[in-house]
Amino acid sequence: MRVEPLLTGRLGRPYLWRATCASTQALLDDPALPEGAVAVAEAQTQGRGRLGRTWEAPAGAALLCSVLLRPPAGRRLGELSLVGGLATARAVDHVARVRSGIKWPNDVLLDGAKVAGVLAEGRNGAVVLGIGVNVGQAAADLPADARTRPGSLLTATGLEHDRASVLARLLVELEAGYETWLADGLEPLVPELAARDVLLGVEVQLGDAVGRAAGIAPDGRLILLVGSETRLVESGEVSVRAPAAPA
Ligand code: BT5
């Protein structure tokens, strides 16, 4: 993918491209690499999702990228997955001329279908943010057994979109969101996360309890109403019972 001429910001240097690799996350597993390093592959043999799950995409159809961030010590690094999800949603919207939703914590949805996923992995204080965007997959190329119905920019819009443009915009949006987060934390980004929240009002499961999602707290946690009780939930703890409303 020819993107280097499009990379004008702080993210994307160095830019590591591979035709195939195990996971773009692993390409950034190098203490010598600076913040802003980006890895992109046409295909992954061991693409990773969250919580040990796998990410599947046929060669050349999806944007598969990882970004290395080195935030200052003492910050809540988990928040960066929300920063990444928001940047991804914005980039998808810009390139495909759509309005995407975010299924907390970090799935990007179009018309209820998951078109992108974000994975934040911590490495000795650094964070490798992995982002997969389904760009050109036809319906038959998407995983049949996915937890959330999958989609791509092609299936959602009926149009081909340029992966390099998605990446270039994603890095611009991620840099902006990261700078905001560095300066002021997650709070300034929460209104937009809330506006894109497709879980609002949806029944979700937390352990044995079932509750109704009631928005995103200023610190990025999901607000859950369980009976008359309000709980704040960290990512990774909830699963959706009813299908999310269309984005
Ligand atoms: C995610 O995990 O959504 C994070 C995905 C991050 C992938 C990127 S690609 C570049 C970088 N390098 C990596 O190795 N990973 C990152 P999670 O929420 O756990 O979703 C995973 C689940 O989504 C799987 O268990 C499947 O059900 C489903 N799935 C797998 N591939 C998919 C796809 N291409 N589109 C939609 N859903 C998919």
Side-chain angles (χ1 to χ4, degrees), residues 80-151:
L80 286 173
S81 65
L82 294 165
V83 175
L86 185 55
T88 307
R90 286 180 176 176
V92 162
D93 289 8
H94 178 83
V95 172
R97 308 249 168 265
V98 289
R99 174 73 183 172
S100 57
I102 295 180
K103 185 174 145 210
W104 185 91
N106 44 25
D107 293 347
V108 176
L109 269 59
L110 281 177
D111 302 324
K114 176 168 172 173
V115 297
V118 177
L119 164 73
E121 292 181 315
R123 307 265 162 84
N124 300 322
V127 171
V128 180
L129 210 52
I131 300 169
V133 184
N134 300 329
V135 180
Q137 288 105 314
D141 299 330
L142 293 163
D145 54 351
R147 301 168 72 242
T148 301
R149 179 169 61 88

Side-chain angles (χ1 to χ4, degrees), residues 23-24 44 48-50 53-56 114 117 134 146-147:
S23 162
T24 54
Q44 301 181 120
R48 301 176 195 158
R50 295 177 305 130
R53 298 192 283 252
T54 57
W55 190 255
E56 295 158 38
K114 176 168 172 173
N134 300 329
R147 301 168 72 242

